[in-house]
Amino acid sequence: MRGSDFAELKAFVAVVERKSFARAAEHLGLSPSALSQTIRQLEGRMGARLLNRTTRSVAPSASGEQLYRRIAPLFREMTDAVAEVSEATGQVSGTLRINTLGIAARTIIAPRLARFHQVY
């Protein structure tokens, strides 16, 4: 499986679980339009419509439901495996994003970054 195949399937699972392109895009750190394009590529590669979309909702089609039932447990297993390794090493991992005003970033956050970086 290519990395792009994995990313497409991960995006598909996120949309199904969140029942929203916007919420799934936020979770994945993508724009909704990029996520929509990723899903279109997956559907094209599969040769089947996986999601039924309306202006107010998104739900898996019959093919999408079948795919989701097969791959969702695998994604949960992978997430659990990565979490176990992270816990075993005692290291914190992930992305920290801070949205704030420039003045707050300079006066409050910046002075604490060196210590945070040493600890984590």
Side-chain angles (χ1 to χ4, degrees):
M1 176 183 293
R2 299 179 332 227
S4 60
D5 297 345
F6 178 81
E8 290 172 351
L9 292 170
K10 184 177 179 181
F12 169 73
V13 169
V15 172
V16 172
E17 289 179 347
R18 286 161 185 78
K19 298 177 176 64
S20 162
F21 272 85
R23 286 190 295 270
E26 183 179 336
H27 170 75
L28 296 169
L30 300 170
S31 69
S33 61
L35 178 57
S36 181
Q37 178 63 31
T38 299
I39 297 298
R40 277 194 297 275
Q41 289 172 348
L42 175 63
E43 289 176 329
R45 193 166 52 80
M46 297 268 178
R49 185 154 195 81
L50 299 174
L51 297 170
N52 295 318
R53 305 159 178 87
T54 69
T55 56
R56 296 190 180 266
S57 68
V58 61
S61 65
S63 297
E65 184 63 37
Q66 180 181 8
L67 177 63
Y68 176 77
R69 279 196 313 266
R70 293 287 307 273
I71 66 172
L74 302 173
F75 275 93
R76 283 190 285 276
E77 282 292 318
M78 287 187 287
T79 300
D80 291 348
V82 169
E84 286 175 14
V85 170
S86 294
E87 289 170 8
T89 61
Q91 292 187 356
V92 176
S93 65
T95 301
L96 173 64
R97 292 188 179 131
I98 301 172
N99 294 320
T100 187
L101 298 172
I103 188 81
R106 287 188 297 278
T107 59
I108 298 170
I109 296 170
R112 292 167 173 83
L113 282 179
R115 174 146 164 63
F116 180 85
H117 190 316
Q118 287 174 347
V119 173
Y120 298 105

